Amino acid sequence: MPDRVRRKWRPGLWVVILLVLGLVLCLPFAGLLLFRFYANQLVQQTEESLLMQASVLAATYEQVYRVASDLPELADAPIGFAPLFPSVTMNPQAILSPRPDPLPATEAIGPAYAQIAPLLSRIADNAQEQTLAGYRFIDRFGTVIAGSAEVGTYLGHVQEVALALNGETVSVPRTRVRQGRERAIYALSQGSRVRIFVAMPVFVEEDLIGVVYLSRTPNHIFRFLYSERLNLFGAALFVLISTGLIGFVFWRFISRPLHALIARTETFGATNAEWDPLEHYGTREIETLAQSFGTLANRLQRQQTSLKTYTAHVSHEMKSPLTSIKGAAELMQDADMSPEQRAVFLDNIGRDSARMEHLLARMREYSAVGQLPAAGTCRVSAVLAAVESPLDVRLTGADETLPISAEALTIILHHLVENAAAHGATRVDVRAGKGEDEAWITVSDNGSGVSAGNRDRIFEPFFTSRRAEGGTGMGLSIVRSVVEQSGGTIALVDAGQGAAFRIAFAV
């Protein structure tokens, strides 16, 4: 085993509290990661809006083309529903490169397209003022005939336009080409880095006449946050106040009582004073812990005081018989000592040795009190049957059960009966009972009793009125220690004759 055990590092309570508060403060910032999910929702909302606009513009394109080409109106027919749903995702693999630049047109614009182009361009310009989207109307050959920009150029080489010219409705996200440097805060919004393109084919009856090509940059989340800045400020203030309150609660109900308990423990260990209760406990658990500390500390203090007193008394009690034995041994070395004198000295040595053995036996009993079980139950009749005594011991309440271990009650009854016999008693009455909040047992005798001057000292270690008869003064002290170890109290009560002791346990 190493001479020195390495102490493991453990964080202090305040470190734990600060860590918890830091995590609480980080929760709103962790919510910024949710902005990416919300930005994806904004992208799909933009796509859905473009699809709806493309549907309306495709119907407009079809109608004006039919009028310009002198085609007959379609008869009313049942409406068939074929809804379009957003499909764009912000998966990096799904985002296409920036849209290719337009090419010069290779086909001339037909008469019907030239006739409807001004009307479609006015529609595109008016719509762009409100929606900020880009509108392009493309003929069947891929040439932009009208729109908000790139009129007269060719876009048939663009992937989504080419698919729309084959009859498919296509939505794609493309990397946005920005003019100037992007603000750093916008980097958190994925929608600000892409532009959504929707290409929808336009049919007259079953003939494809062109494509409606729309594009728009999704609304980034910070525009929404700016519009809700007052609510966000209130939420941030609420988080800060809540965090402060959490810290105060930790400090008031946990940290401060624990530090006060630590300080009280250090003070108690340094001064050996009585344990004083704390001013603030904080929580019920800390109060219970402090009370347990106080009970343990006071018990250790009493044991330490008793040990000091006991050591001093034992030293004093042992000194007399040892001195007598030593003197007798020295005198017995005289060869001229008569047999009668030698017999007297041998008797003195025997009595002193017996007294030392008696003291040592009481010492073992006293030191063994702390090893007794602190909890348990027993029936008085079963314990009293194991107590041997020449006295007439009578029991009332034989069926009562007391909250004390049988071993501890045996020691108590043995010493009380022995004490009664030492004071001339011939009968001992043992009564046991139980009330609403306590269980009790009384032991009374018909001996000489306790004088008024000795009533307050009979439980002190080594106090005895029978020192000349070999009394050690440890019997009642051991009884009190066993009772207190078992959670009870003992008191000398008034009796008509002899001595009476009442032992009570809370239930």
Side-chain angles (χ1 to χ4, degrees), residues 137-181:
F137 296 90
I138 302 173
D139 64 10
R140 64 168 58 93
F141 303 108
T143 301
V144 180
I145 64 168
S148 57
E150 300 178 332
V151 177
T153 60
Y154 176 76
L155 292 178
H157 62 293
V158 179
Q159 176 182 337
E160 56 270 24
V161 176
L163 292 174
L165 290 174
N166 286 327
E168 299 182 27
T169 298
V170 183
S171 301
V172 295
R174 288 187 176 275
T175 302
R176 182 185 178 191
V177 178
R178 295 187 57 87
Q179 300 295 328
R181 186 176 181 181

mmCIF file of all heavy atoms in Angstrom, residues 137-181:
data_model
loop_
_atom_site.group_PDB
_atom_site.id
_atom_site.type_symbol
_atom_site.label_atom_id
_atom_site.label_comp_id
_atom_site.label_asym_id
_atom_site.label_seq_id
_atom_site.Cartn_x
_atom_site.Cartn_y
_atom_site.Cartn_z
ATOM 1 N N PHE A 137 -40.608 34.499 -69.494
ATOM 2 C CA PHE A 137 -41.523 33.710 -70.331
ATOM 3 C C PHE A 137 -40.732 33.242 -71.534
ATOM 4 O O PHE A 137 -40.173 34.064 -72.282
ATOM 5 C CB PHE A 137 -42.730 34.544 -70.753
ATOM 6 C CG PHE A 137 -43.599 34.980 -69.593
ATOM 7 C CD1 PHE A 137 -43.354 36.184 -68.927
ATOM 8 C CD2 PHE A 137 -44.637 34.182 -69.169
ATOM 9 C CE1 PHE A 137 -44.147 36.582 -67.865
ATOM 10 C CE2 PHE A 137 -45.442 34.590 -68.101
ATOM 11 C CZ PHE A 137 -45.194 35.779 -67.455
ATOM 12 N N ILE A 138 -40.681 31.957 -71.744
ATOM 13 C CA ILE A 138 -39.827 31.339 -72.768
ATOM 14 C C ILE A 138 -40.716 30.645 -73.796
ATOM 15 O O ILE A 138 -41.737 30.027 -73.446
ATOM 16 C CB ILE A 138 -38.859 30.336 -72.112
ATOM 17 C CG1 ILE A 138 -38.004 31.054 -71.040
ATOM 18 C CG2 ILE A 138 -37.978 29.656 -73.135
ATOM 19 C CD1 ILE A 138 -37.138 30.115 -70.230
ATOM 20 N N ASP A 139 -40.310 30.769 -75.084
ATOM 21 C CA ASP A 139 -41.089 30.076 -76.123
ATOM 22 C C ASP A 139 -40.654 28.623 -76.214
ATOM 23 O O ASP A 139 -39.802 28.162 -75.455
ATOM 24 C CB ASP A 139 -40.962 30.808 -77.455
ATOM 25 C CG ASP A 139 -39.526 30.796 -77.992
ATOM 26 O OD1 ASP A 139 -38.669 30.065 -77.424
ATOM 27 O OD2 ASP A 139 -39.237 31.517 -78.957
ATOM 28 N N ARG A 140 -41.242 27.928 -77.201
ATOM 29 C CA ARG A 140 -40.971 26.489 -77.316
ATOM 30 C C ARG A 140 -39.542 26.170 -77.725
ATOM 31 O O ARG A 140 -39.090 25.021 -77.613
ATOM 32 C CB ARG A 140 -41.940 25.858 -78.321
ATOM 33 C CG ARG A 140 -41.783 26.365 -79.741
ATOM 34 C CD ARG A 140 -42.550 25.510 -80.724
ATOM 35 N NE ARG A 140 -43.967 25.447 -80.430
ATOM 36 C CZ ARG A 140 -44.866 26.258 -80.951
ATOM 37 N NH1 ARG A 140 -44.476 27.233 -81.781
ATOM 38 N NH2 ARG A 140 -46.130 26.131 -80.668
ATOM 39 N N PHE A 141 -38.794 27.189 -78.186
ATOM 40 C CA PHE A 141 -37.413 26.953 -78.638
ATOM 41 C C PHE A 141 -36.369 27.331 -77.577
ATOM 42 O O PHE A 141 -35.177 27.163 -77.800
ATOM 43 C CB PHE A 141 -37.140 27.758 -79.920
ATOM 44 C CG PHE A 141 -38.092 27.434 -81.034
ATOM 45 C CD1 PHE A 141 -39.072 28.342 -81.406
ATOM 46 C CD2 PHE A 141 -38.017 26.218 -81.687
ATOM 47 C CE1 PHE A 141 -39.949 28.042 -82.437
ATOM 48 C CE2 PHE A 141 -38.895 25.921 -82.718
ATOM 49 C CZ PHE A 141 -39.876 26.833 -83.095
ATOM 50 N N GLY A 142 -36.822 27.874 -76.433
ATOM 51 C CA GLY A 142 -35.895 28.232 -75.355
ATOM 52 C C GLY A 142 -35.505 29.682 -75.340
ATOM 53 O O GLY A 142 -34.605 30.063 -74.586
ATOM 54 N N THR A 143 -36.159 30.530 -76.146
ATOM 55 C CA THR A 143 -35.838 31.955 -76.196
ATOM 56 C C THR A 143 -36.752 32.723 -75.250
ATOM 57 O O THR A 143 -37.959 32.484 -75.191
ATOM 58 C CB THR A 143 -36.013 32.494 -77.622
ATOM 59 O OG1 THR A 143 -35.154 31.766 -78.506
ATOM 60 C CG2 THR A 143 -35.653 33.978 -77.676
ATOM 61 N N VAL A 144 -36.164 33.651 -74.483
ATOM 62 C CA VAL A 144 -36.940 34.475 -73.553
ATOM 63 C C VAL A 144 -37.665 35.532 -74.357
ATOM 64 O O VAL A 144 -37.044 36.405 -74.989
ATOM 65 C CB VAL A 144 -36.025 35.137 -72.510
ATOM 66 C CG1 VAL A 144 -36.849 35.994 -71.559
ATOM 67 C CG2 VAL A 144 -35.244 34.096 -71.732
ATOM 68 N N ILE A 145 -39.008 35.460 -74.360
ATOM 69 C CA ILE A 145 -39.804 36.404 -75.144
ATOM 70 C C ILE A 145 -40.282 37.573 -74.294
ATOM 71 O O ILE A 145 -40.607 38.646 -74.845
ATOM 72 C CB ILE A 145 -41.009 35.700 -75.798
ATOM 73 C CG1 ILE A 145 -41.945 35.172 -74.703
ATOM 74 C CG2 ILE A 145 -40.554 34.569 -76.718
ATOM 75 C CD1 ILE A 145 -43.279 34.717 -75.213
ATOM 76 N N ALA A 146 -40.350 37.400 -72.985
ATOM 77 C CA ALA A 146 -40.833 38.468 -72.106
ATOM 78 C C ALA A 146 -40.365 38.169 -70.702
ATOM 79 O O ALA A 146 -39.930 37.055 -70.388
ATOM 80 C CB ALA A 146 -42.365 38.569 -72.161
ATOM 81 N N GLY A 147 -40.442 39.187 -69.847
ATOM 82 C CA GLY A 147 -40.065 38.982 -68.466
ATOM 83 C C GLY A 147 -39.430 40.200 -67.857
ATOM 84 O O GLY A 147 -39.412 41.293 -68.447
ATOM 85 N N SER A 148 -38.862 40.016 -66.706
ATOM 86 C CA SER A 148 -38.246 41.126 -65.986
ATOM 87 C C SER A 148 -36.786 41.323 -66.373
ATOM 88 O O SER A 148 -36.186 42.322 -65.973
ATOM 89 C CB SER A 148 -38.355 40.883 -64.472
ATOM 90 O OG SER A 148 -37.747 39.639 -64.122
ATOM 91 N N ALA A 149 -36.184 40.396 -67.119
ATOM 92 C CA ALA A 149 -34.776 40.526 -67.522
ATOM 93 C C ALA A 149 -34.478 39.480 -68.583
ATOM 94 O O ALA A 149 -35.245 38.522 -68.792
ATOM 95 C CB ALA A 149 -33.842 40.362 -66.330
ATOM 96 N N GLU A 150 -33.327 39.643 -69.270
ATOM 97 C CA GLU A 150 -32.779 38.672 -70.232
ATOM 98 C C GLU A 150 -33.736 38.401 -71.406
ATOM 99 O O GLU A 150 -33.726 37.324 -71.999
ATOM 100 C CB GLU A 150 -32.434 37.354 -69.523
ATOM 101 C CG GLU A 150 -31.413 37.523 -68.415
ATOM 102 C CD GLU A 150 -31.107 36.229 -67.686
ATOM 103 O OE1 GLU A 150 -31.984 35.345 -67.636
ATOM 104 O OE2 GLU A 150 -29.989 36.099 -67.169
ATOM 105 N N VAL A 151 -34.557 39.378 -71.751
ATOM 106 C CA VAL A 151 -35.464 39.215 -72.897
ATOM 107 C C VAL A 151 -34.638 39.133 -74.184
ATOM 108 O O VAL A 151 -33.706 39.913 -74.401
ATOM 109 C CB VAL A 151 -36.482 40.374 -72.962
ATOM 110 C CG1 VAL A 151 -37.364 40.241 -74.195
ATOM 111 C CG2 VAL A 151 -37.320 40.410 -71.695
ATOM 112 N N GLY A 152 -34.983 38.177 -75.057
ATOM 113 C CA GLY A 152 -34.283 38.014 -76.325
ATOM 114 C C GLY A 152 -33.080 37.102 -76.251
ATOM 115 O O GLY A 152 -32.390 36.902 -77.262
ATOM 116 N N THR A 153 -32.791 36.519 -75.085
ATOM 117 C CA THR A 153 -31.658 35.599 -74.962
ATOM 118 C C THR A 153 -32.168 34.162 -74.936
ATOM 119 O O THR A 153 -33.370 33.897 -74.841
ATOM 120 C CB THR A 153 -30.856 35.892 -73.680
ATOM 121 O OG1 THR A 153 -31.706 35.735 -72.553
ATOM 122 C CG2 THR A 153 -30.307 37.332 -73.704
ATOM 123 N N TYR A 154 -31.218 33.248 -75.002
ATOM 124 C CA TYR A 154 -31.547 31.819 -75.070
ATOM 125 C C TYR A 154 -31.202 31.167 -73.732
ATOM 126 O O TYR A 154 -30.086 31.315 -73.216
ATOM 127 C CB TYR A 154 -30.760 31.160 -76.196
ATOM 128 C CG TYR A 154 -30.947 29.667 -76.294
ATOM 129 C CD1 TYR A 154 -32.110 29.133 -76.831
ATOM 130 C CD2 TYR A 154 -29.952 28.789 -75.845
ATOM 131 C CE1 TYR A 154 -32.285 27.757 -76.923
ATOM 132 C CE2 TYR A 154 -30.122 27.415 -75.929
ATOM 133 C CZ TYR A 154 -31.296 26.901 -76.470
ATOM 134 O OH TYR A 154 -31.469 25.540 -76.565
ATOM 135 N N LEU A 155 -32.172 30.431 -73.141
ATOM 136 C CA LEU A 155 -31.965 29.721 -71.878
ATOM 137 C C LEU A 155 -32.250 28.235 -72.006
ATOM 138 O O LEU A 155 -32.360 27.527 -70.995
ATOM 139 C CB LEU A 155 -32.862 30.304 -70.778
ATOM 140 C CG LEU A 155 -32.541 31.730 -70.312
ATOM 141 C CD1 LEU A 155 -33.546 32.182 -69.269
ATOM 142 C CD2 LEU A 155 -31.118 31.814 -69.774
ATOM 143 N N GLY A 156 -32.341 27.734 -73.225
ATOM 144 C CA GLY A 156 -32.651 26.318 -73.409
ATOM 145 C C GLY A 156 -31.552 25.398 -72.922
ATOM 146 O O GLY A 156 -31.793 24.200 -72.714
ATOM 147 N N HIS A 157 -30.342 25.924 -72.721
ATOM 148 C CA HIS A 157 -29.239 25.070 -72.271
ATOM 149 C C HIS A 157 -29.239 24.899 -70.747
ATOM 150 O O HIS A 157 -28.477 24.098 -70.209
ATOM 151 C CB HIS A 157 -27.903 25.681 -72.705
ATOM 152 C CG HIS A 157 -27.651 27.035 -72.092
ATOM 153 N ND1 HIS A 157 -28.393 28.149 -72.400
ATOM 154 C CD2 HIS A 157 -26.725 27.447 -71.167
ATOM 155 C CE1 HIS A 157 -27.942 29.198 -71.724
ATOM 156 N NE2 HIS A 157 -26.916 28.789 -70.969
ATOM 157 N N VAL A 158 -30.050 25.662 -70.027
ATOM 158 C CA VAL A 158 -30.138 25.536 -68.570
ATOM 159 C C VAL A 158 -30.901 24.258 -68.243
ATOM 160 O O VAL A 158 -31.942 23.960 -68.838
ATOM 161 C CB VAL A 158 -30.820 26.772 -67.965
ATOM 162 C CG1 VAL A 158 -30.940 26.624 -66.452
ATOM 163 C CG2 VAL A 158 -30.040 28.040 -68.320
ATOM 164 N N GLN A 159 -30.406 23.498 -67.271
ATOM 165 C CA GLN A 159 -30.937 22.162 -66.988
ATOM 166 C C GLN A 159 -32.428 22.170 -66.719
ATOM 167 O O GLN A 159 -33.184 21.410 -67.340
ATOM 168 C CB GLN A 159 -30.208 21.560 -65.777
ATOM 169 C CG GLN A 159 -30.751 20.208 -65.340
ATOM 170 C CD GLN A 159 -30.023 19.663 -64.107
ATOM 171 O OE1 GLN A 159 -28.907 20.042 -63.828
ATOM 172 N NE2 GLN A 159 -30.683 18.774 -63.402
ATOM 173 N N GLU A 160 -32.898 23.036 -65.806
ATOM 174 C CA GLU A 160 -34.315 23.010 -65.446
ATOM 175 C C GLU A 160 -35.196 23.483 -66.593
ATOM 176 O O GLU A 160 -36.323 23.005 -66.780
ATOM 177 C CB GLU A 160 -34.582 23.846 -64.186
ATOM 178 C CG GLU A 160 -34.140 25.290 -64.267
ATOM 179 C CD GLU A 160 -32.709 25.500 -63.787
ATOM 180 O OE1 GLU A 160 -31.917 24.516 -63.826
ATOM 181 O OE2 GLU A 160 -32.391 26.623 -63.370
ATOM 182 N N VAL A 161 -34.690 24.429 -67.399
ATOM 183 C CA VAL A 161 -35.458 24.888 -68.566
ATOM 184 C C VAL A 161 -35.558 23.781 -69.603
ATOM 185 O O VAL A 161 -36.625 23.552 -70.208
ATOM 186 C CB VAL A 161 -34.822 26.155 -69.165
ATOM 187 C CG1 VAL A 161 -35.556 26.577 -70.445
ATOM 188 C CG2 VAL A 161 -34.832 27.289 -68.154
ATOM 189 N N ALA A 162 -34.439 23.070 -69.821
ATOM 190 C CA ALA A 162 -34.448 21.978 -70.786
ATOM 191 C C ALA A 162 -35.436 20.892 -70.380
ATOM 192 O O ALA A 162 -36.163 20.342 -71.215
ATOM 193 C CB ALA A 162 -33.038 21.402 -70.918
ATOM 194 N N LEU A 163 -35.506 20.578 -69.088
ATOM 195 C CA LEU A 163 -36.465 19.580 -68.621
ATOM 196 C C LEU A 163 -37.895 20.078 -68.786
ATOM 197 O O LEU A 163 -38.802 19.306 -69.134
ATOM 198 C CB LEU A 163 -36.196 19.238 -67.163
ATOM 199 C CG LEU A 163 -34.885 18.480 -66.876
ATOM 200 C CD1 LEU A 163 -34.660 18.335 -65.372
ATOM 201 C CD2 LEU A 163 -34.910 17.107 -67.542
ATOM 202 N N ALA A 164 -38.120 21.386 -68.515
ATOM 203 C CA ALA A 164 -39.467 21.933 -68.693
ATOM 204 C C ALA A 164 -39.876 21.910 -70.165
ATOM 205 O O ALA A 164 -41.054 21.696 -70.486
ATOM 206 C CB ALA A 164 -39.518 23.351 -68.136
ATOM 207 N N LEU A 165 -38.933 22.139 -71.094
ATOM 208 C CA LEU A 165 -39.250 22.061 -72.526
ATOM 209 C C LEU A 165 -39.604 20.639 -72.941
ATOM 210 O O LEU A 165 -40.185 20.432 -74.020
ATOM 211 C CB LEU A 165 -38.063 22.574 -73.346
ATOM 212 C CG LEU A 165 -37.797 24.087 -73.249
ATOM 213 C CD1 LEU A 165 -36.515 24.454 -73.985
ATOM 214 C CD2 LEU A 165 -38.975 24.889 -73.818
ATOM 215 N N ASN A 166 -39.260 19.673 -72.085
ATOM 216 C CA ASN A 166 -39.653 18.279 -72.331
ATOM 217 C C ASN A 166 -40.933 17.910 -71.578
ATOM 218 O O ASN A 166 -41.308 16.747 -71.536
ATOM 219 C CB ASN A 166 -38.539 17.329 -71.909
ATOM 220 C CG ASN A 166 -37.371 17.355 -72.882
ATOM 221 O OD1 ASN A 166 -37.561 17.549 -74.085
ATOM 222 N ND2 ASN A 166 -36.159 17.196 -72.368
ATOM 223 N N GLY A 167 -41.557 18.914 -70.950
ATOM 224 C CA GLY A 167 -42.864 18.680 -70.327
ATOM 225 C C GLY A 167 -42.836 18.434 -68.832
ATOM 226 O O GLY A 167 -43.854 18.048 -68.249
ATOM 227 N N GLU A 168 -41.718 18.651 -68.155
ATOM 228 C CA GLU A 168 -41.631 18.421 -66.714
ATOM 229 C C GLU A 168 -41.621 19.745 -65.954
ATOM 230 O O GLU A 168 -41.045 20.733 -66.424
ATOM 231 C CB GLU A 168 -40.356 17.646 -66.369
ATOM 232 C CG GLU A 168 -40.253 16.276 -67.000
ATOM 233 C CD GLU A 168 -38.978 15.563 -66.576
ATOM 234 O OE1 GLU A 168 -38.475 15.875 -65.471
ATOM 235 O OE2 GLU A 168 -38.482 14.714 -67.331
ATOM 236 N N THR A 169 -42.258 19.745 -64.812
ATOM 237 C CA THR A 169 -42.163 20.889 -63.894
ATOM 238 C C THR A 169 -40.995 20.630 -62.945
ATOM 239 O O THR A 169 -40.954 19.600 -62.264
ATOM 240 C CB THR A 169 -43.454 21.072 -63.094
ATOM 241 O OG1 THR A 169 -44.536 21.338 -64.004
ATOM 242 C CG2 THR A 169 -43.339 22.231 -62.118
ATOM 243 N N VAL A 170 -40.070 21.559 -62.898
ATOM 244 C CA VAL A 170 -38.812 21.331 -62.183
ATOM 245 C C VAL A 170 -38.581 22.475 -61.193
ATOM 246 O O VAL A 170 -38.783 23.651 -61.544
ATOM 247 C CB VAL A 170 -37.626 21.223 -63.158
ATOM 248 C CG1 VAL A 170 -36.334 20.918 -62.398
ATOM 249 C CG2 VAL A 170 -37.885 20.161 -64.203
ATOM 250 N N SER A 171 -38.141 22.094 -59.973
ATOM 251 C CA SER A 171 -37.702 23.067 -58.959
ATOM 252 C C SER A 171 -36.309 22.683 -58.518
ATOM 253 O O SER A 171 -36.071 21.523 -58.151
ATOM 254 C CB SER A 171 -38.642 23.063 -57.746
ATOM 255 O OG SER A 171 -39.963 23.377 -58.125
ATOM 256 N N VAL A 172 -35.388 23.631 -58.542
ATOM 257 C CA VAL A 172 -34.000 23.341 -58.153
ATOM 258 C C VAL A 172 -33.449 24.503 -57.335
ATOM 259 O O VAL A 172 -33.792 25.662 -57.578
ATOM 260 C CB VAL A 172 -33.097 23.102 -59.389
ATOM 261 C CG1 VAL A 172 -33.526 21.856 -60.143
ATOM 262 C CG2 VAL A 172 -33.090 24.319 -60.295
ATOM 263 N N PRO A 173 -32.584 24.195 -56.364
ATOM 264 C CA PRO A 173 -31.837 25.258 -55.682
ATOM 265 C C PRO A 173 -30.466 25.413 -56.332
ATOM 266 O O PRO A 173 -29.785 24.432 -56.633
ATOM 267 C CB PRO A 173 -31.714 24.725 -54.249
ATOM 268 C CG PRO A 173 -31.680 23.232 -54.409
ATOM 269 C CD PRO A 173 -32.479 22.901 -55.644
ATOM 270 N N ARG A 174 -30.072 26.625 -56.536
ATOM 271 C CA ARG A 174 -28.755 26.894 -57.112
ATOM 272 C C ARG A 174 -27.987 27.853 -56.200
ATOM 273 O O ARG A 174 -28.585 28.677 -55.504
ATOM 274 C CB ARG A 174 -28.891 27.502 -58.506
ATOM 275 C CG ARG A 174 -29.353 26.518 -59.571
ATOM 276 C CD ARG A 174 -29.309 27.149 -60.953
ATOM 277 N NE ARG A 174 -29.652 26.200 -62.006
ATOM 278 C CZ ARG A 174 -28.777 25.372 -62.568
ATOM 279 N NH1 ARG A 174 -27.497 25.397 -62.190
ATOM 280 N NH2 ARG A 174 -29.154 24.558 -63.532
ATOM 281 N N THR A 175 -26.682 27.708 -56.244
ATOM 282 C CA THR A 175 -25.848 28.607 -55.466
ATOM 283 C C THR A 175 -26.052 30.035 -55.940
ATOM 284 O O THR A 175 -26.035 30.312 -57.134
ATOM 285 C CB THR A 175 -24.370 28.212 -55.596
ATOM 286 O OG1 THR A 175 -24.207 26.858 -55.165
ATOM 287 C CG2 THR A 175 -23.499 29.112 -54.745
ATOM 288 N N ARG A 176 -26.258 30.900 -54.984
ATOM 289 C CA ARG A 176 -26.548 32.292 -55.321
ATOM 290 C C ARG A 176 -25.255 33.047 -55.596
ATOM 291 O O ARG A 176 -24.279 32.937 -54.845
ATOM 292 C CB ARG A 176 -27.303 32.949 -54.167
ATOM 293 C CG ARG A 176 -27.697 34.386 -54.417
ATOM 294 C CD ARG A 176 -28.324 34.960 -53.168
ATOM 295 N NE ARG A 176 -28.677 36.359 -53.336
ATOM 296 C CZ ARG A 176 -29.046 37.174 -52.366
ATOM 297 N NH1 ARG A 176 -29.089 36.697 -51.127
ATOM 298 N NH2 ARG A 176 -29.356 38.430 -52.606
ATOM 299 N N VAL A 177 -25.248 33.811 -56.651
ATOM 300 C CA VAL A 177 -24.116 34.678 -56.974
ATOM 301 C C VAL A 177 -24.420 36.053 -56.410
ATOM 302 O O VAL A 177 -25.372 36.722 -56.847
ATOM 303 C CB VAL A 177 -23.889 34.757 -58.506
ATOM 304 C CG1 VAL A 177 -22.731 35.707 -58.804
ATOM 305 C CG2 VAL A 177 -23.619 33.373 -59.076
ATOM 306 N N ARG A 178 -23.648 36.430 -55.388
ATOM 307 C CA ARG A 178 -23.902 37.695 -54.714
ATOM 308 C C ARG A 178 -23.058 38.800 -55.311
ATOM 309 O O ARG A 178 -21.926 38.580 -55.749
ATOM 310 C CB ARG A 178 -23.587 37.587 -53.212
ATOM 311 C CG ARG A 178 -24.497 36.628 -52.450
ATOM 312 C CD ARG A 178 -24.222 36.713 -50.961
ATOM 313 N NE ARG A 178 -24.386 38.094 -50.480
ATOM 314 C CZ ARG A 178 -25.551 38.600 -50.077
ATOM 315 N NH1 ARG A 178 -26.637 37.835 -50.090
ATOM 316 N NH2 ARG A 178 -25.626 39.853 -49.666
ATOM 317 N N GLN A 179 -23.616 39.985 -55.256
ATOM 318 C CA GLN A 179 -22.880 41.171 -55.645
ATOM 319 C C GLN A 179 -22.340 41.817 -54.369
ATOM 320 O O GLN A 179 -23.071 42.417 -53.600
ATOM 321 C CB GLN A 179 -23.793 42.149 -56.398
ATOM 322 C CG GLN A 179 -24.404 41.590 -57.670
ATOM 323 C CD GLN A 179 -23.349 41.278 -58.710
ATOM 324 O OE1 GLN A 179 -22.300 41.947 -58.789
ATOM 325 N NE2 GLN A 179 -23.624 40.255 -59.519
ATOM 326 N N GLY A 180 -21.055 41.633 -54.102
ATOM 327 C CA GLY A 180 -20.480 42.148 -52.867
ATOM 328 C C GLY A 180 -20.347 41.040 -51.829
ATOM 329 O O GLY A 180 -20.773 39.898 -52.021
ATOM 330 N N ARG A 181 -19.767 41.394 -50.707
ATOM 331 C CA ARG A 181 -19.473 40.424 -49.643
ATOM 332 C C ARG A 181 -20.709 40.193 -48.771
ATOM 333 O O ARG A 181 -21.421 41.123 -48.411
ATOM 334 C CB ARG A 181 -18.319 40.936 -48.783
ATOM 335 C CG ARG A 181 -17.843 39.932 -47.735
ATOM 336 C CD ARG A 181 -16.638 40.493 -46.999
ATOM 337 N NE ARG A 181 -16.154 39.543 -46.002
ATOM 338 C CZ ARG A 181 -15.130 39.772 -45.195
ATOM 339 N NH1 ARG A 181 -14.467 40.932 -45.280
ATOM 340 N NH2 ARG A 181 -14.765 38.860 -44.320
#
